[in-house]
Amino acid sequence: MAGRTAGARRAEILRAAAGLFAARGFHGVSIDDLGKAVGTSGPALYRHFPGKDALLAAMLLEVSERLAADGRQRAEACGDPHRALDELLRGHIRFALTEPALITVHDRELGNVAEPDRRRIRRLQRGYVEQWVGVLARLRPDADPPTLRAAVHAAFGLLNSTPHSAQQLDPEPMAELLLSMGRAALLAES
Amino acid sequence: MAGRTAGARRAEILRAAAGLFAARGFHGVSIDDLGKAVGTSGPALYRHFPGKDALLAAMLLEVSERLAADGRQRAEACGDPHRALDELLRGHIRFALTEPALITVHDRELGNVAEPDRRRIRRLQRGYVEQWVGVLARLRPDADPPTLRAAVHAAFGLLNSTPHSAQQLDPEPMAELLLSMGRAALLAES
DNA sequence: CGGTGATGTTAGTGTCCGTTAACGTCGGTG
DNA sequence: CACCGACGTTAACGGACACTAACATCACCG
């Protein structure tokens, strides 16, 4: 029982921390802020994480693993690259619309993670990007890998703009808009 | 002459601060860091800005004004909406590639500006967005304004992804890539 | 029932940070 | 030359922060 409770607490802390980090930045959130956000006060956090840095590292590792695993699964699920690209887009869009705070922290706060974890996160992120590049390469055999990588990063920027603009549209039309924009951008001839 | 020197110093501080804020976030940079970055030490800053917050506010105001003025000029320069959109795209891309740090700070750190300046910055940003929306509305009369606004925000996300990916490609091909991707995304039928 | 581990509390502790104070330098100006 | 404003310095102060220490609670288990 203790294990399950501990896991729930940990997840609750990570969720609250994601919201606060996304809104004010890692250095703009204090340990006491994090404690208050989950109903405890301050240093209770150290029962679940060895420190503030470790909390951020755990959060980014978890997100990167989710994205990478989801991407691998979706990219390998179907042989048609057009369908595979749509699957990747839909998966990323669902994630971005469901957890905008995690997406925000994911591409802003890597610089605040120290070296052992940082490398693991980078490796996962790179693997995710390469899934996209692999699919895209089959759709655009003319383009060289660096261009494809830059295009994928640009598409991520497009999809991750959700936190800035999601308030303007309902989730379903927003998802459709992002899907068509992302597809058009990635398949555009330069 | 003192005026010219002061202006140069002020601009130098803003430039250095942009780089540091973009890399580590507003709260991750100290006054002493800012001083060291321009060759002076610490509190010399208070000869040029009343405080750290005011420095950020000045930076964001300047960027927002530059973007809004440039957008207005480019959007109004030509009657053909296709050409106007290309002009807006090229202008924004040039800015994003020339000053990636300013672009980064511009859409991350507004939350750290207090209320009097904050409203002015928001107004300028909104004006810039509306320039894009106005041009886009002539190209896509079918779409409603909220959708167009969301599309413009998404396109900004695409164009502003430069800081994450600009190292992979030379500036000119990168600009061409962003131009074609941005154009395709904004004109995609949903 | 006594022990134990998980989980919380409050009270420090040392450090860093934004800001102010007091003072120095120096070029230009009356 | 006396003065003054622009610009810089170092020293200090008060508060905030990450983290630790010492102690409380309480379910569970032998």
Side-chain angles (χ1 to χ4, degrees):
Chain A
M1 298 308 115
R4 175 161 300 174
T5 312
R9 203 55 160 165
R10 193 186 138 99
E12 190 185 356
I13 292 171
L14 284 174
R15 171 174 301 273
L20 289 172
F21 288 166
R24 315 210 293 254
F26 178 71
H27 294 293
V29 179
S30 74
I31 292 285
D32 284 345
D33 291 335
L34 291 172
K36 278 204 173 71
V38 295
T40 79
S41 217
L45 263 167
Y46 291 89
R47 300 295 172 188
H48 304 275
F49 298 93
K52 199 187 168 192
D53 298 350
L55 193 155
L56 176 65
M59 189 167 119
L60 292 189
L61 264 172
E62 200 171 289
V63 176
S64 301
E65 276 165 1
R66 270 177 69 182
L67 280 175
D70 201 62
R72 191 173 329 112
Q73 175 187 336
R74 286 176 185 262
E76 292 174 353
C78 43
D80 178 23
H82 276 99
R83 286 185 54 91
L85 184 62
D86 267 31
E87 275 304 302
L88 286 175
L89 282 163
R90 283 187 204 278
H92 195 104
I93 290 166
R94 175 198 296 271
F95 192 90
L97 289 177
T98 311
E99 323 232 37
L102 280 182
I103 279 284
T104 298
V105 176
H106 177 256
D107 69 10
R108 286 190 189 178
E109 305 287 5
L110 180 61
N112 291 119
V113 178
E115 205 30 85
D117 294 308
R118 188 173 178 155
R119 190 164 10 240
R120 293 177 56 197
I121 297 168
R122 287 208 104 103
R123 182 198 292 280
L124 289 164
Q125 290 180 346
R126 193 156 33 230
Y128 185 55
V129 171
E130 290 310 317
Q131 289 291 339
W132 286 68
V133 169
V135 169
L136 202 56
R138 295 165 61 195
L139 292 167
R140 299 181 54 187
D142 51 304
D144 53 319
T147 300
L148 293 179
R149 264 188 284 273
V152 168
H153 278 288
F156 287 170
L158 191 159
L159 303 178
N160 295 349
S161 70
T162 293
H164 306 326
S165 55
Q167 304 130 343
Q168 312 226 7
L169 239 53
D170 288 333
E172 308 93 23
M174 187 69 183
E176 288 306 309
L177 177 68
L178 290 174
L179 177 63
S180 62
M181 288 182 76
R183 192 165 36 200
L186 284 171
L187 297 178
E189 295 295 328
S190 52
Chain B
M1 299 317 110
R4 174 163 299 173
T5 313
R9 202 55 160 167
R10 193 186 137 100
E12 191 185 357
I13 292 171
L14 284 174
R15 170 174 301 273
L20 290 172
F21 289 165
R24 295 189 244 152
F26 179 70
H27 294 292
V29 180
S30 74
I31 292 285
D32 284 345
D33 292 335
L34 291 171
K36 279 205 172 70
V38 295
T40 80
S41 217
L45 264 167
Y46 291 87
R47 300 292 172 191
H48 305 274
F49 298 92
K52 199 186 170 193
D53 298 350
L55 192 154
L56 176 64
M59 189 167 120
L60 293 188
L61 265 172
E62 199 171 290
V63 177
S64 302
E65 276 163 4
R66 270 177 70 181
L67 280 175
D70 201 63
R72 191 175 327 113
Q73 175 187 336
R74 286 176 185 262
E76 292 173 353
C78 45
D80 177 24
H82 276 99
R83 286 184 54 91
L85 184 63
D86 267 30
E87 275 304 302
L88 286 175
L89 282 163
R90 284 188 204 278
H92 195 104
I93 289 165
R94 174 196 297 269
F95 191 89
L97 289 177
T98 311
E99 322 232 37
L102 281 182
I103 279 285
T104 298
V105 176
H106 176 255
D107 69 9
R108 286 189 188 178
E109 305 288 6
L110 180 62
N112 291 119
V113 178
E115 207 28 87
D117 294 308
R118 187 171 178 156
R119 191 163 14 240
R120 293 177 57 196
I121 297 168
R122 288 208 103 102
R123 183 199 291 281
L124 289 164
Q125 289 181 346
R126 194 156 32 228
Y128 185 55
V129 171
E130 290 310 316
Q131 289 291 339
W132 286 68
V133 169
V135 170
L136 203 56
R138 295 165 62 196
L139 292 167
R140 298 181 53 188
D142 52 302
D144 52 321
T147 299
L148 292 178
R149 263 187 285 272
V152 168
H153 278 287
F156 287 170
L158 191 159
L159 302 179
N160 296 350
S161 69
T162 292
H164 307 325
S165 55
Q167 304 128 344
Q168 312 227 6
L169 239 52
D170 287 332
E172 309 93 25
M174 186 69 184
E176 288 306 310
L177 177 68
L178 290 173
L179 177 63
S180 61
M181 288 182 77
R183 191 163 40 200
L186 285 171
L187 297 178
E189 296 295 327
S190 50

